[in-house]
């Protein structure tokens, strides 16, 4: 089925819904690499006009990737909540944008509507929303999850403390963890990307983190971001697994490229639930996503990179995750070329995930071959903070010495919390105060040296 | 915490720097201190200087003339990929994997056991410093091998070596290429060995030695490991997962296969 729109005396034709969505997408290098981008700025806007007129129920009736060929399509179609969708069934994409920004779209209404939206609807509406629309709509969407603390409450900004080390040195990781805790980081998770992806190494890292957490009774969760099959084996060996981590993408083939299937995720989810390690809730999954993953695995099926990214959130929401984050600038300039493209993608990913009911955080980051710097990350973190992002990732001095890229520093997140008057998760905030790290009187994190705190023995 | 026999370092205010011992455990930027919530001036500038070096490593063109002079008469061929400039190279990895038409026409088929390629990749500085010393070290270790002239390639990705080897009729290719620079190391070189390469060859068919630089894997150690891999590749008639599985534990570094998730298009 084709689409067309006339603009400025020119008639623009789009072969199908995939092509229309791709042409409507804001410019990014990954869509250019895939040969899917609009061929002119005018064609892009004509596509947006045409997309705004598309009825939402067309997305329910259209398989952008065939149902028989792709288990993510089957998941999306089979779990679509028609009752939740009913109030929107006669709307167009343009109508949905107007509703999302209206005062009728309250947090409660948005929460109730979430199961009625599909990733393709979310992607479509995002393409006709400006950055401020993505922010103001997402800000109203609350997704609250729990394990040892409560993530996603209004007025809160959680953080993942990422203490990576190039040789997984336990004391080196402990030193970075100590540094982060002194800045009030780590309420979303204390999570290590291991340099060596093995079961034995994962067990050792988890044991160290769990020991530190229990010693100081920290109300948070720990995670080693190893492959899900390793985590399954670690659980079988009795390892201290709070959260199961996995990178996921929006098509079956791209997930196969990550060595993962929906069946493996289900098995790991059930195994983690059976451990009953959560104290205030049972959200036990942690996923990372990012635009460009499907294209880099040659598994995008002709979909633009933002639409196929949104489909990953359908995978995520099927497993009630505690945390999800887009690793927005990590993949490199062939997918997101510069700060402008990275910032736009970060806002899109956050909006689409929240619209679908997914607890979205962000690794605001870039590599050294992208046209971006720490000023772009400053911009992105403030925009995401204003948009109500669930959590951000912090590394010492914004420099990840294992993965060789730049994210946010602990200072950055502390600054953001202060500027926007955001607090850590409540259980964690109370712990910071009990430990004497947070001064309730001034509302500030105290500037303390390790030996001035009870955490001094964290590095054995 | 280890006992430090030296008097404790003082920070700017004259107070002892209690982070000094912890910093010996990791190169991470820990214990930076604060101005309010923000980083101090010196730390902000130190970070910017490191980022500037990394960016310069990406954007400085490979000085081919200097490499020719360093080769001092050793025969070599210069080619370029289909990516016309750095901006195109960064956006279009597919073009960096293919030879420009005039370079295709320039390479002639021969009978070679191996061709070594020195490509700029994402850090020309790494290639500038590391490629010729490694090539010389390999010449000394590969007595009796039919080694093609060194190929210097600009705007090149790892897979560019596949087409070069096919065009020259080489049984295997060693691609020496600048790795994506980090803040702490901007001149790290990677080496990718591929047996029977062809255009479209998957990354799983390669073996990789990474982190070759002054403070990482030394050239002589990299050369020993590479020579072992090449002998085995010649014997087994393959590279990649099959070769890695056959290696004794001590003969390969931990990351001897391309790390797909970290740097998919080196």
């Amino acid at each position: 089925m084709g689409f067309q729109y006339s603009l400025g005396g020119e008639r623009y034709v789009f072969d199908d819904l995939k092509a229309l969505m791709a042409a409507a997408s804001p410019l990014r290098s990954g869509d250019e690499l895939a040969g899917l981008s609009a061929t002119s700025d005018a064609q892009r806007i004509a596509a947006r006009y045409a997309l705004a007129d598309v009825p939402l129920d067309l997305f329910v009736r259209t398989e952008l990737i065939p149902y028989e060929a792709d288990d993510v399509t089957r998941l999306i179609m089979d779990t679509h909540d028609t009752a939740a969708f009913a109030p929107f069934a006669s709307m167009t994409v343009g109508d949905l944008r107007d509703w999302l920004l209206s005062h009728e779209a309250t947090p409660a209404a948005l929460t109730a509507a979430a199961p009625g939206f599909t990733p393709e609807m979310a992607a479509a509406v995002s393409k006709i929303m400006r950055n401020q629309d993505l922010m103001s709509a997402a800000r109203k969407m609350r997704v609250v999850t729990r394990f040892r603390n409560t993530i996603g409450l209004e007025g809160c900004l959680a953080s993942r403390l990422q203490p990576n080390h190039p040789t997984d040195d336990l004391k080196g990781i402990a030193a970075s963890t100590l540094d982060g805790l002194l800045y009030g980081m780590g309420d979303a998770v204390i999570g290590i990307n291991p340099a060596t992806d093995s079961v034995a190494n994962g067990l050792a890292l988890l044991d160290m983190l769990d020991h530190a957490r229990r010693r100081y009774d920290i109300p948070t969760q720990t995670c080693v971001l190893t492959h899900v099959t390793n985590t399954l084996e670690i659980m079988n060996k009795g390892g201290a697994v709070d959260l199961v981590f996995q990178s996921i993408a929006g098509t079956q083939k791209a997930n196969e490229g990550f060595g993962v299937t929906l069946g493996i995720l289900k098995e790991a989810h059930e195994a983690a639930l059976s451990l009953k390690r959560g104290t205030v809730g049972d959200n036990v999954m942690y996923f990372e996503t990012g635009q460009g993953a499907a294209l880099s695995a040659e598994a995008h099926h002709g979909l633009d990179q933002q639409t196929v990214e949104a489909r990953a959130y359908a995978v995520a929401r099927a497993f009630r995750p505690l945390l999800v984050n887009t690793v927005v600038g990590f993949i490199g300039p062939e997918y997101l070329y510069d700060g402008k493209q990275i910032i736009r993608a970060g806002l899109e990913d956050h909006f689409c995930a929240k619209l679908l009911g997914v607890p979205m955080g962000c690794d605001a980051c870039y590599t050294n071959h992208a046209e971006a710097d720490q000023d772009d990350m400053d911009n992105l973190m403030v925009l995401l903070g204003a948009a109500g992002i669930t959590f951000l990732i912090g590394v010492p001095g914004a420099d990840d010495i294992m993965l060789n890229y730049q994210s946010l520093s602990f200072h950055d997140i502390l600054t953001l919390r202060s500027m926007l008057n955001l607090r850590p998760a409540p259980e964690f905030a109370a712990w910071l105060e009990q430990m004497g790290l947070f001064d309730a009187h001034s509302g500030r994190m105290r500037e303390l040296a390790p030996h001035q705190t009870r955490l001094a023995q964290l590095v054995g | 915490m280890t006992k430090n026999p030296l008097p404790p370092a003082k920070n700017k205010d004259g107070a002892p720097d209690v982070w000094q011992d912890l910093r010996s455990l990791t190169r991470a930027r820990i214990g930076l201190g604060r101005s309010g919530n923000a980083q101090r001036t010196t730390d902000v500038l130190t970070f910017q200087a490191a980022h500037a070096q990394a960016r310069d490593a990406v954007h400085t063109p490979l000085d081919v003339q200097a490499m020719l002079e360093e080769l001092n008469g050793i025969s070599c061929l210069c080619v370029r990929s289909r990516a016309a400039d750095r901006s195109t190279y960064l956006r279009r990895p597919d073009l960096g994997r293919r030879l420009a038409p005039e370079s295709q026409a320039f390479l002639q088929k021969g009978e070679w056991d191996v061709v070594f390629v020195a490509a700029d990749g994402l850090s020309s500085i790494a290639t500038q410093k590391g490629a010729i010393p490694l090539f010389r070290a390999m010449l000394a270790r590969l007595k009796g091998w039919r080694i093609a002239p060194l190929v210097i390639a600009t705007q090149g990705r790892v897979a560019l070596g596949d087409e070069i080897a096919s065009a020259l009729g080489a049984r295997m290719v060693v691609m020496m290429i600048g790795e994506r620079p980090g803040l702490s190391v901007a001149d790290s070189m990677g080496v990718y060995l591929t047996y029977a390469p062809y255009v479209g060859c998957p990354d799983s068919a390669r073996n990789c030695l990474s982190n070759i630089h002054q403070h990482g894997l030394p050239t002589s150690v990299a050369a020993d490991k590479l020579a072992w891999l090449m002998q085995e590749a010649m014997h087994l008639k393959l590279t990649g997962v099959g070769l890695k599985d056959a290696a004794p534990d001590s003969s390969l570094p931990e990351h001897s296969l391309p790390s797909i998730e970290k740097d998919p298009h080196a």
Side-chain angles (χ1 to χ4, degrees), chain B residues 232-254:
Chain B
E232 288 299 302
M234 195 62 104
H235 173 63
L236 295 170
K237 299 192 187 323
L238 57 79
T239 46
V241 181
L243 176 52
K244 188 194 176 222
D245 289 348
D249 284 350
S250 57
S251 65
L252 288 179
E254 267 158 19

Side-chain angles (χ1 to χ4, degrees), chain A residues 195-196 368 399 404 411 445, chain B residues 29 33-34 51 180-181 254-255:
Chain A
T196 302
N368 286 320
D399 174 13
N404 276 328
H411 300 76
M445 286 300 294
Chain B
R29 293 166 199 253
R34 290 154 49 183
H51 185 232
R180 194 183 82 197
E254 267 158 19
H255 302 295

Side-chain angles (χ1 to χ4, degrees), chain A residues 95-108:
Chain A
D95 294 336
L96 178 58
R97 176 190 172 277
D98 289 328
W99 181 79
L100 289 170
L101 297 170
S102 74
H103 299 304
E104 283 71 53
T106 60

Side-chain angles (χ1 to χ4, degrees), chain B:
Chain B
M1 207 183 290
T2 51
K3 285 268 189 315
N4 188 345
L6 299 169
K10 308 275 183 176
N11 65 20
K12 203 171 56 180
D13 311 326
D17 183 358
V18 294
W19 283 94
Q20 195 183 42
D21 285 353
L22 293 173
R23 275 194 213 99
S24 70
L25 302 171
T26 177
R27 288 187 291 110
R29 293 166 199 253
I30 56 171
L32 295 184
R34 290 154 49 183
S35 296
N37 293 323
Q39 289 181 16
R40 291 182 175 155
T41 303
T42 179
D43 296 321
V44 169
L45 294 177
T46 302
F47 182 99
Q48 289 182 359
H51 185 232
Q53 275 191 318
R55 283 184 54 80
D56 285 346
V58 173
H59 291 279
T60 303
L62 189 67
D63 188 344
V64 176
Q65 193 54 43
M67 289 182 78
L68 293 177
E69 283 162 22
E70 192 183 342
L71 281 167
N72 194 21
I74 296 179
S75 66
C76 97
L77 304 165
C78 297
V79 300
R80 61 182 189 83
S81 79
R82 290 185 190 174
D85 53 39
R86 208 57 176 163
S87 165
T88 308
Y89 174 83
L90 292 172
R91 287 171 211 255
R92 293 289 303 272
D94 52 329
L95 298 181
R97 297 187 190 112
R98 296 302 305 273
L99 278 171
E102 71 272 20
S103 293
Q104 275 175 328
F106 175 65
L107 297 177
Q108 291 180 358
K109 217 159 193 110
E111 288 280 332
W112 307 108
D113 291 322
V114 62
V115 58
F116 286 82
V117 182
D120 43 9
L122 286 169
S123 170
S124 61
I125 295 170
T127 309
Q128 198 88 47
K129 288 185 184 171
I132 292 176
L134 181 63
F135 181 61
R136 286 184 189 279
M138 294 314 294
L139 290 178
R141 283 167 176 75
L142 298 172
K143 300 296 180 195
W145 285 58
R146 294 170 300 171
I147 302 172
L150 176 69
V151 176
I152 298 175
T154 50
Q155 310 295 9
R157 302 263 171 182
V158 171
L160 185 66
D162 303 340
E163 190 169 6
I164 292 170
S166 303
L168 288 171
R171 293 173 74 180
M172 65 178 88
V173 58
V174 174
M175 172 57 100
M176 303 176 286
I177 190 164
E179 297 181 324
R180 194 183 82 197
L183 285 200
S184 47
V185 181
D187 58 355
S188 178
M189 191 175 76
V191 173
Y192 293 78
L193 173 67
T194 314
Y195 186 87
Y198 59 92
V199 173
C201 186
D203 285 340
S204 57
R206 310 186 198 286
N207 293 93
C208 168
L209 298 169
S210 66
N211 213 27
I212 302 168
H213 58 92
Q214 204 183 348
H215 304 290
L217 191 62
T219 299
S220 60
V221 179
D224 288 342
K225 288 178 188 294
L226 180 59
W228 186 89
L229 282 168
M230 290 174 69
Q231 303 285 1
E232 288 299 302
M234 195 62 104
H235 173 63
L236 295 170
K237 299 192 187 323
L238 57 79
T239 46
V241 181
L243 176 52
K244 188 194 176 222
D245 289 348
D249 284 350
S250 57
S251 65
L252 288 179
E254 267 158 19
H255 302 295
S256 60
L257 279 173
S259 181
I260 307 292
E261 273 192 70
K262 281 180 209 162
D263 199 357
H265 300 292

Side-chain angles (χ1 to χ4, degrees), chain A residues 53-199:
Chain A
D53 284 340
V54 170
L56 289 180
D57 76 336
L58 185 65
F59 292 95
V60 182
R61 293 183 278 111
T62 307
E63 298 162 14
L64 294 181
I65 301 173
Y67 186 90
E68 302 75 29
D70 186 275
D71 61 7
V72 180
T73 299
R74 293 198 287 280
L75 175 70
I76 293 166
M77 295 280 182
D78 296 350
T79 60
H80 183 235
D81 185 335
T82 49
F85 179 62
F88 306 96
S90 60
M91 281 190 189
T92 62
V93 172
D95 294 336
L96 178 58
R97 176 190 172 277
D98 289 328
W99 181 79
L100 289 170
L101 297 170
S102 74
H103 299 304
E104 283 71 53
T106 60
L110 286 158
T111 300
F117 296 129
T118 67
E120 291 83 359
M121 291 177 203
V125 74
S126 79
K127 293 176 195 298
I128 59 164
M129 294 171 79
R130 286 169 48 192
N131 285 5
Q132 67 158 301
D133 300 340
L134 297 174
M135 293 160 59
S136 63
R139 190 180 170 81
K140 296 188 285 186
M141 300 165 184
R142 296 256 68 86
V143 182
V144 178
T145 58
R146 294 178 177 88
F147 189 76
R148 284 197 195 93
N149 56 25
T150 309
I151 304 288
L153 294 172
E154 188 169 6
C156 293
L157 170 69
S159 65
R160 168 179 161 198
L161 199 172
Q162 182 171 301
N164 295 344
H165 189 281
T167 60
D168 293 328
D169 181 85
L170 294 179
K171 287 192 172 186
I173 287 171
S176 290
T177 303
L178 168 63
D179 193 40
L181 289 170
L182 295 178
Y183 288 82
M185 302 295 123
D187 45 344
V189 62
I190 302 172
I192 304 168
N193 299 91
T196 302
D197 206 9
S198 72
V199 170

Side-chain angles (χ1 to χ4, degrees), chain A residues 268-384:
Chain A
H269 185 215
E270 286 167 0
L273 284 174
S274 74
L275 298 178
K276 300 190 187 311
R277 289 174 62 89
T279 50
V280 298
D282 66 349
N283 299 110
V284 295
M285 302 298 279
Y286 174 19
F287 297 114
E288 281 191 339
T289 70
Q291 293 190 26
L295 176 59
S296 81
E298 292 174 9
H300 63 301
H301 295 268
L303 264 63
D304 70 86
Q305 73 179 29
Q306 191 256 333
T307 300
V308 76
E309 163 73 6
R311 288 167 52 97
Y313 312 150
V315 176
R317 80 172 162 180
F319 300 99
R320 301 192 298 111
L322 181 78
L323 308 166
V324 178
N325 68 261
T326 171
V327 197
V328 69
F330 187 73
I331 195 158
E334 60 268 45
Y335 301 94
L336 295 167
Y337 186 69
D338 57 15
K340 182 181 173 80
Q341 294 184 9
I342 292 170
I343 288 168
R344 171 73 194 182
L347 295 175
E348 288 168 347
D349 293 351
H350 176 244
F351 164 83
C352 288
K354 286 280 173 74
L355 183 61
L356 297 174
V358 169
M360 194 58 147
C362 184
D363 190 356
C365 64
Y366 62 102
T367 59
N368 286 320
H369 60 320
E371 285 298 316
D373 62 19
Q374 221 59 31
D375 289 330
D376 295 302
M377 297 306 106
D378 289 344
N379 293 349
L380 178 55
M381 81 166 182
V382 175
L383 300 181
L384 287 171

